[in-house]
Amino acid sequence: VQKYVDNALTTCYDTFVRQGGEKMSEREKEILDKLAEKLPHMSERERGYLEGTINTAAAMSEKQRENKLKKEE
């Protein structure tokens, strides 16, 4: 279970940092705190789904950032 918590929190934080953020907003901290609280109580299927959703959102965010950088050039 701890592996999933670490993985999810690291993915969220890494995505935020890659987007140029220096500090997390209070809302982002709240989301990560809630995630850390709820994740240990989720089923294996729910954790897998959540991890997939986070990874997809991170990939989409990275793609948007890349497209924005290309447009600026």
mmCIF file of all heavy atoms in Angstrom, residues 17-52:
data_model
loop_
_atom_site.group_PDB
_atom_site.id
_atom_site.type_symbol
_atom_site.label_atom_id
_atom_site.label_comp_id
_atom_site.label_asym_id
_atom_site.label_seq_id
_atom_site.Cartn_x
_atom_site.Cartn_y
_atom_site.Cartn_z
ATOM 1 N N VAL A 17 5.917 20.210 -10.420
ATOM 2 C CA VAL A 17 7.241 20.827 -10.515
ATOM 3 C C VAL A 17 7.652 20.998 -11.971
ATOM 4 O O VAL A 17 8.178 22.037 -12.372
ATOM 5 C CB VAL A 17 8.290 19.989 -9.734
ATOM 6 C CG1 VAL A 17 9.697 20.456 -10.025
ATOM 7 C CG2 VAL A 17 8.004 20.079 -8.245
ATOM 8 N N ARG A 18 7.375 20.003 -12.808
ATOM 9 C CA ARG A 18 7.727 20.100 -14.233
ATOM 10 C C ARG A 18 6.993 21.243 -14.911
ATOM 11 O O ARG A 18 7.449 21.782 -15.905
ATOM 12 C CB ARG A 18 7.427 18.791 -14.957
ATOM 13 C CG ARG A 18 8.545 17.786 -14.822
ATOM 14 C CD ARG A 18 8.286 16.582 -15.651
ATOM 15 N NE ARG A 18 7.485 15.672 -14.844
ATOM 16 C CZ ARG A 18 6.511 14.909 -15.295
ATOM 17 N NH1 ARG A 18 6.191 14.897 -16.558
ATOM 18 N NH2 ARG A 18 5.837 14.116 -14.500
ATOM 19 N N GLN A 19 5.850 21.625 -14.389
ATOM 20 C CA GLN A 19 5.089 22.719 -14.975
ATOM 21 C C GLN A 19 5.615 24.076 -14.526
ATOM 22 O O GLN A 19 5.089 25.099 -14.903
ATOM 23 C CB GLN A 19 3.611 22.602 -14.599
ATOM 24 C CG GLN A 19 2.931 21.424 -15.247
ATOM 25 C CD GLN A 19 1.515 21.262 -14.763
ATOM 26 O OE1 GLN A 19 1.055 21.950 -13.860
ATOM 27 N NE2 GLN A 19 0.803 20.337 -15.354
ATOM 28 N N GLY A 20 6.658 24.081 -13.741
ATOM 29 C CA GLY A 20 7.280 25.328 -13.353
ATOM 30 C C GLY A 20 6.861 25.856 -11.995
ATOM 31 O O GLY A 20 7.270 26.932 -11.589
ATOM 32 N N GLY A 21 6.067 25.125 -11.270
ATOM 33 C CA GLY A 21 5.623 25.588 -9.960
ATOM 34 C C GLY A 21 6.712 25.415 -8.926
ATOM 35 O O GLY A 21 7.418 24.429 -8.907
ATOM 36 N N GLU A 22 6.869 26.399 -8.087
ATOM 37 C CA GLU A 22 7.872 26.317 -7.029
ATOM 38 C C GLU A 22 7.251 25.833 -5.731
ATOM 39 O O GLU A 22 7.873 25.112 -4.971
ATOM 40 C CB GLU A 22 8.530 27.670 -6.820
ATOM 41 C CG GLU A 22 9.375 28.096 -7.996
ATOM 42 C CD GLU A 22 9.987 29.452 -7.762
ATOM 43 O OE1 GLU A 22 10.031 29.920 -6.625
ATOM 44 O OE2 GLU A 22 10.415 30.052 -8.741
ATOM 45 N N LYS A 23 6.034 26.233 -5.494
ATOM 46 C CA LYS A 23 5.338 25.854 -4.273
ATOM 47 C C LYS A 23 3.974 25.310 -4.643
ATOM 48 O O LYS A 23 3.354 25.754 -5.594
ATOM 49 C CB LYS A 23 5.167 27.055 -3.352
ATOM 50 C CG LYS A 23 6.466 27.625 -2.839
ATOM 51 C CD LYS A 23 6.203 28.785 -1.916
ATOM 52 C CE LYS A 23 7.498 29.363 -1.393
ATOM 53 N NZ LYS A 23 7.265 30.510 -0.532
ATOM 54 N N MET A 24 3.514 24.385 -3.859
ATOM 55 C CA MET A 24 2.182 23.842 -4.083
ATOM 56 C C MET A 24 1.165 24.757 -3.416
ATOM 57 O O MET A 24 1.408 25.280 -2.335
ATOM 58 C CB MET A 24 2.088 22.444 -3.498
ATOM 59 C CG MET A 24 2.986 21.452 -4.191
ATOM 60 S SD MET A 24 2.932 19.834 -3.433
ATOM 61 C CE MET A 24 1.310 19.325 -3.904
ATOM 62 N N SER A 25 0.023 24.913 -4.066
ATOM 63 C CA SER A 25 -1.041 25.721 -3.488
ATOM 64 C C SER A 25 -1.666 24.949 -2.317
ATOM 65 O O SER A 25 -1.473 23.743 -2.162
ATOM 66 C CB SER A 25 -2.117 26.015 -4.534
ATOM 67 O OG SER A 25 -2.844 24.844 -4.835
ATOM 68 N N GLU A 26 -2.419 25.644 -1.516
ATOM 69 C CA GLU A 26 -3.094 24.995 -0.397
ATOM 70 C C GLU A 26 -4.060 23.932 -0.903
ATOM 71 O O GLU A 26 -4.195 22.863 -0.303
ATOM 72 C CB GLU A 26 -3.824 26.026 0.467
ATOM 73 C CG GLU A 26 -2.896 26.864 1.318
ATOM 74 C CD GLU A 26 -2.017 26.021 2.236
ATOM 75 O OE1 GLU A 26 -2.547 25.111 2.921
ATOM 76 O OE2 GLU A 26 -0.802 26.261 2.279
ATOM 77 N N ARG A 27 -4.721 24.214 -1.996
ATOM 78 C CA ARG A 27 -5.674 23.258 -2.578
ATOM 79 C C ARG A 27 -4.947 21.978 -2.996
ATOM 80 O O ARG A 27 -5.427 20.873 -2.749
ATOM 81 C CB ARG A 27 -6.383 23.900 -3.776
ATOM 82 C CG ARG A 27 -7.316 22.982 -4.499
ATOM 83 C CD ARG A 27 -8.577 22.723 -3.693
ATOM 84 N NE ARG A 27 -9.448 21.863 -4.470
ATOM 85 C CZ ARG A 27 -10.072 20.816 -3.970
ATOM 86 N NH1 ARG A 27 -9.982 20.526 -2.703
ATOM 87 N NH2 ARG A 27 -10.830 20.064 -4.724
ATOM 88 N N GLU A 28 -3.783 22.130 -3.621
ATOM 89 C CA GLU A 28 -3.012 20.962 -4.051
ATOM 90 C C GLU A 28 -2.531 20.149 -2.850
ATOM 91 O O GLU A 28 -2.560 18.921 -2.868
ATOM 92 C CB GLU A 28 -1.835 21.393 -4.917
ATOM 93 C CG GLU A 28 -2.275 21.901 -6.269
ATOM 94 C CD GLU A 28 -1.239 22.741 -6.975
ATOM 95 O OE1 GLU A 28 -0.417 23.388 -6.299
ATOM 96 O OE2 GLU A 28 -1.268 22.749 -8.214
ATOM 97 N N LYS A 29 -2.143 20.834 -1.790
ATOM 98 C CA LYS A 29 -1.731 20.142 -0.571
ATOM 99 C C LYS A 29 -2.903 19.370 0.026
ATOM 100 O O LYS A 29 -2.747 18.238 0.485
ATOM 101 C CB LYS A 29 -1.180 21.127 0.450
ATOM 102 C CG LYS A 29 0.173 21.693 0.068
ATOM 103 C CD LYS A 29 0.625 22.714 1.097
ATOM 104 C CE LYS A 29 1.897 23.402 0.672
ATOM 105 N NZ LYS A 29 2.301 24.439 1.617
ATOM 106 N N GLU A 30 -4.082 19.988 0.014
ATOM 107 C CA GLU A 30 -5.275 19.326 0.544
ATOM 108 C C GLU A 30 -5.593 18.064 -0.246
ATOM 109 O O GLU A 30 -5.926 17.025 0.332
ATOM 110 C CB GLU A 30 -6.476 20.263 0.488
ATOM 111 C CG GLU A 30 -6.438 21.392 1.489
ATOM 112 C CD GLU A 30 -7.583 22.380 1.294
ATOM 113 O OE1 GLU A 30 -8.557 22.040 0.581
ATOM 114 O OE2 GLU A 30 -7.515 23.474 1.855
ATOM 115 N N ILE A 31 -5.484 18.157 -1.558
ATOM 116 C CA ILE A 31 -5.768 17.006 -2.410
ATOM 117 C C ILE A 31 -4.801 15.868 -2.100
ATOM 118 O O ILE A 31 -5.209 14.715 -1.941
ATOM 119 C CB ILE A 31 -5.691 17.402 -3.903
ATOM 120 C CG1 ILE A 31 -6.859 18.316 -4.260
ATOM 121 C CG2 ILE A 31 -5.678 16.159 -4.794
ATOM 122 C CD1 ILE A 31 -6.744 18.974 -5.623
ATOM 123 N N LEU A 32 -3.523 16.175 -1.999
ATOM 124 C CA LEU A 32 -2.534 15.146 -1.704
ATOM 125 C C LEU A 32 -2.712 14.565 -0.308
ATOM 126 O O LEU A 32 -2.542 13.360 -0.111
ATOM 127 C CB LEU A 32 -1.122 15.692 -1.886
ATOM 128 C CG LEU A 32 -0.726 16.001 -3.328
ATOM 129 C CD1 LEU A 32 0.675 16.579 -3.382
ATOM 130 C CD2 LEU A 32 -0.833 14.774 -4.197
ATOM 131 N N ASP A 33 -3.089 15.394 0.650
ATOM 132 C CA ASP A 33 -3.349 14.897 2.000
ATOM 133 C C ASP A 33 -4.533 13.932 2.003
ATOM 134 O O ASP A 33 -4.484 12.868 2.628
ATOM 135 C CB ASP A 33 -3.617 16.047 2.967
ATOM 136 C CG ASP A 33 -2.367 16.819 3.335
ATOM 137 O OD1 ASP A 33 -1.250 16.287 3.132
ATOM 138 O OD2 ASP A 33 -2.507 17.955 3.831
ATOM 139 N N LYS A 34 -5.599 14.300 1.299
ATOM 140 C CA LYS A 34 -6.775 13.427 1.225
ATOM 141 C C LYS A 34 -6.426 12.116 0.525
ATOM 142 O O LYS A 34 -6.867 11.046 0.941
ATOM 143 C CB LYS A 34 -7.917 14.129 0.486
ATOM 144 C CG LYS A 34 -8.586 15.204 1.299
ATOM 145 C CD LYS A 34 -9.685 15.865 0.511
ATOM 146 C CE LYS A 34 -10.272 17.037 1.280
ATOM 147 N NZ LYS A 34 -11.315 17.729 0.508
ATOM 148 N N LEU A 35 -5.647 12.219 -0.522
ATOM 149 C CA LEU A 35 -5.227 11.031 -1.255
ATOM 150 C C LEU A 35 -4.419 10.103 -0.353
ATOM 151 O O LEU A 35 -4.658 8.895 -0.301
ATOM 152 C CB LEU A 35 -4.402 11.429 -2.480
ATOM 153 C CG LEU A 35 -3.871 10.305 -3.341
ATOM 154 C CD1 LEU A 35 -5.010 9.467 -3.914
ATOM 155 C CD2 LEU A 35 -3.026 10.872 -4.465
ATOM 156 N N ALA A 36 -3.479 10.658 0.378
ATOM 157 C CA ALA A 36 -2.648 9.860 1.281
ATOM 158 C C ALA A 36 -3.492 9.207 2.375
ATOM 159 O O ALA A 36 -3.207 8.092 2.807
ATOM 160 C CB ALA A 36 -1.565 10.730 1.902
ATOM 161 N N GLU A 37 -4.549 9.885 2.790
ATOM 162 C CA GLU A 37 -5.427 9.356 3.838
ATOM 163 C C GLU A 37 -6.311 8.223 3.306
ATOM 164 O O GLU A 37 -6.512 7.212 3.984
ATOM 165 C CB GLU A 37 -6.306 10.493 4.364
ATOM 166 C CG GLU A 37 -7.295 10.098 5.421
ATOM 167 C CD GLU A 37 -8.183 11.261 5.818
ATOM 168 O OE1 GLU A 37 -7.654 12.363 6.062
ATOM 169 O OE2 GLU A 37 -9.412 11.058 5.880
ATOM 170 N N LYS A 38 -6.827 8.381 2.103
ATOM 171 C CA LYS A 38 -7.797 7.422 1.557
ATOM 172 C C LYS A 38 -7.149 6.226 0.870
ATOM 173 O O LYS A 38 -7.711 5.141 0.851
ATOM 174 C CB LYS A 38 -8.714 8.121 0.537
ATOM 175 C CG LYS A 38 -9.518 9.259 1.101
ATOM 176 C CD LYS A 38 -10.535 8.772 2.081
ATOM 177 C CE LYS A 38 -11.347 9.941 2.613
ATOM 178 N NZ LYS A 38 -12.271 9.548 3.635
ATOM 179 N N LEU A 39 -5.994 6.401 0.296
ATOM 180 C CA LEU A 39 -5.372 5.361 -0.503
ATOM 181 C C LEU A 39 -5.168 4.034 0.232
ATOM 182 O O LEU A 39 -5.449 2.977 -0.342
ATOM 183 C CB LEU A 39 -4.037 5.883 -1.065
ATOM 184 C CG LEU A 39 -3.474 5.145 -2.260
ATOM 185 C CD1 LEU A 39 -4.452 5.137 -3.420
ATOM 186 C CD2 LEU A 39 -2.167 5.774 -2.693
ATOM 187 N N PRO A 40 -4.726 4.034 1.473
ATOM 188 C CA PRO A 40 -4.535 2.750 2.147
ATOM 189 C C PRO A 40 -5.826 1.938 2.320
ATOM 190 O O PRO A 40 -5.769 0.729 2.491
ATOM 191 C CB PRO A 40 -3.983 3.152 3.522
ATOM 192 C CG PRO A 40 -3.386 4.484 3.323
ATOM 193 C CD PRO A 40 -4.230 5.152 2.274
ATOM 194 N N HIS A 41 -6.968 2.594 2.233
ATOM 195 C CA HIS A 41 -8.251 1.922 2.428
ATOM 196 C C HIS A 41 -8.896 1.500 1.111
ATOM 197 O O HIS A 41 -9.967 0.901 1.123
ATOM 198 C CB HIS A 41 -9.204 2.831 3.211
ATOM 199 C CG HIS A 41 -8.620 3.298 4.499
ATOM 200 N ND1 HIS A 41 -8.436 2.468 5.580
ATOM 201 C CD2 HIS A 41 -8.130 4.503 4.872
ATOM 202 C CE1 HIS A 41 -7.866 3.138 6.566
ATOM 203 N NE2 HIS A 41 -7.673 4.385 6.164
ATOM 204 N N MET A 42 -8.252 1.799 -0.004
ATOM 205 C CA MET A 42 -8.792 1.441 -1.313
ATOM 206 C C MET A 42 -8.428 0.005 -1.662
ATOM 207 O O MET A 42 -7.415 -0.524 -1.210
ATOM 208 C CB MET A 42 -8.222 2.359 -2.397
ATOM 209 C CG MET A 42 -8.686 3.763 -2.340
ATOM 210 S SD MET A 42 -7.939 4.696 -3.701
ATOM 211 C CE MET A 42 -8.674 6.273 -3.447
ATOM 212 N N SER A 43 -9.276 -0.590 -2.487
ATOM 213 C CA SER A 43 -8.979 -1.939 -2.972
ATOM 214 C C SER A 43 -7.832 -1.864 -3.984
ATOM 215 O O SER A 43 -7.483 -0.778 -4.473
ATOM 216 C CB SER A 43 -10.219 -2.540 -3.647
ATOM 217 O OG SER A 43 -10.491 -1.858 -4.866
ATOM 218 N N GLU A 44 -7.272 -3.008 -4.286
ATOM 219 C CA GLU A 44 -6.184 -3.083 -5.263
ATOM 220 C C GLU A 44 -6.645 -2.518 -6.616
ATOM 221 O O GLU A 44 -5.913 -1.798 -7.283
ATOM 222 C CB GLU A 44 -5.740 -4.538 -5.422
ATOM 223 C CG GLU A 44 -4.449 -4.720 -6.161
ATOM 224 C CD GLU A 44 -3.243 -4.315 -5.341
ATOM 225 O OE1 GLU A 44 -3.313 -4.303 -4.101
ATOM 226 O OE2 GLU A 44 -2.232 -3.983 -5.958
ATOM 227 N N ARG A 45 -7.874 -2.831 -6.984
ATOM 228 C CA ARG A 45 -8.434 -2.341 -8.248
ATOM 229 C C ARG A 45 -8.569 -0.817 -8.246
ATOM 230 O O ARG A 45 -8.216 -0.145 -9.211
ATOM 231 C CB ARG A 45 -9.799 -2.986 -8.486
ATOM 232 C CG ARG A 45 -10.429 -2.576 -9.794
ATOM 233 C CD ARG A 45 -11.686 -3.401 -10.045
ATOM 234 N NE ARG A 45 -12.215 -3.078 -11.346
ATOM 235 C CZ ARG A 45 -13.396 -2.507 -11.533
ATOM 236 N NH1 ARG A 45 -14.165 -2.243 -10.503
ATOM 237 N NH2 ARG A 45 -13.815 -2.236 -12.741
ATOM 238 N N GLU A 46 -9.069 -0.264 -7.145
ATOM 239 C CA GLU A 46 -9.223 1.184 -7.035
ATOM 240 C C GLU A 46 -7.872 1.889 -7.093
ATOM 241 O O GLU A 46 -7.730 2.918 -7.756
ATOM 242 C CB GLU A 46 -9.938 1.556 -5.734
ATOM 243 C CG GLU A 46 -11.392 1.147 -5.709
ATOM 244 C CD GLU A 46 -12.025 1.285 -4.341
ATOM 245 O OE1 GLU A 46 -11.344 1.041 -3.323
ATOM 246 O OE2 GLU A 46 -13.214 1.625 -4.290
ATOM 247 N N ARG A 47 -6.881 1.317 -6.421
ATOM 248 C CA ARG A 47 -5.541 1.917 -6.445
ATOM 249 C C ARG A 47 -4.948 1.889 -7.851
ATOM 250 O O ARG A 47 -4.332 2.849 -8.300
ATOM 251 C CB ARG A 47 -4.616 1.210 -5.459
ATOM 252 C CG ARG A 47 -4.936 1.541 -4.021
ATOM 253 C CD ARG A 47 -3.867 1.047 -3.069
ATOM 254 N NE ARG A 47 -3.719 -0.387 -3.047
ATOM 255 C CZ ARG A 47 -4.319 -1.206 -2.194
ATOM 256 N NH1 ARG A 47 -5.126 -0.719 -1.277
ATOM 257 N NH2 ARG A 47 -4.111 -2.502 -2.249
ATOM 258 N N GLY A 48 -5.137 0.769 -8.546
ATOM 259 C CA GLY A 48 -4.645 0.657 -9.915
ATOM 260 C C GLY A 48 -5.317 1.669 -10.834
ATOM 261 O O GLY A 48 -4.665 2.304 -11.669
ATOM 262 N N TYR A 49 -6.619 1.811 -10.671
ATOM 263 C CA TYR A 49 -7.364 2.782 -11.478
ATOM 264 C C TYR A 49 -6.877 4.202 -11.200
ATOM 265 O O TYR A 49 -6.648 4.988 -12.116
ATOM 266 C CB TYR A 49 -8.862 2.666 -11.181
ATOM 267 C CG TYR A 49 -9.703 3.639 -11.967
ATOM 268 C CD1 TYR A 49 -10.051 3.358 -13.283
ATOM 269 C CD2 TYR A 49 -10.126 4.840 -11.401
ATOM 270 C CE1 TYR A 49 -10.814 4.261 -14.022
ATOM 271 C CE2 TYR A 49 -10.882 5.737 -12.124
ATOM 272 C CZ TYR A 49 -11.225 5.444 -13.433
ATOM 273 O OH TYR A 49 -11.962 6.336 -14.155
ATOM 274 N N LEU A 50 -6.705 4.511 -9.920
ATOM 275 C CA LEU A 50 -6.239 5.837 -9.539
ATOM 276 C C LEU A 50 -4.845 6.112 -10.095
ATOM 277 O O LEU A 50 -4.581 7.185 -10.638
ATOM 278 C CB LEU A 50 -6.243 5.983 -8.022
ATOM 279 C CG LEU A 50 -5.776 7.325 -7.475
ATOM 280 C CD1 LEU A 50 -6.668 8.454 -7.977
ATOM 281 C CD2 LEU A 50 -5.772 7.294 -5.954
ATOM 282 N N GLU A 51 -3.962 5.135 -9.983
ATOM 283 C CA GLU A 51 -2.609 5.311 -10.504
ATOM 284 C C GLU A 51 -2.633 5.545 -12.018
ATOM 285 O O GLU A 51 -1.935 6.418 -12.537
ATOM 286 C CB GLU A 51 -1.747 4.093 -10.172
ATOM 287 C CG GLU A 51 -0.303 4.278 -10.568
ATOM 288 C CD GLU A 51 0.578 3.118 -10.135
ATOM 289 O OE1 GLU A 51 0.088 2.162 -9.520
ATOM 290 O OE2 GLU A 51 1.778 3.190 -10.428
ATOM 291 N N GLY A 52 -3.472 4.798 -12.726
ATOM 292 C CA GLY A 52 -3.604 4.994 -14.167
ATOM 293 C C GLY A 52 -4.141 6.379 -14.499
ATOM 294 O O GLY A 52 -3.674 7.027 -15.444
#
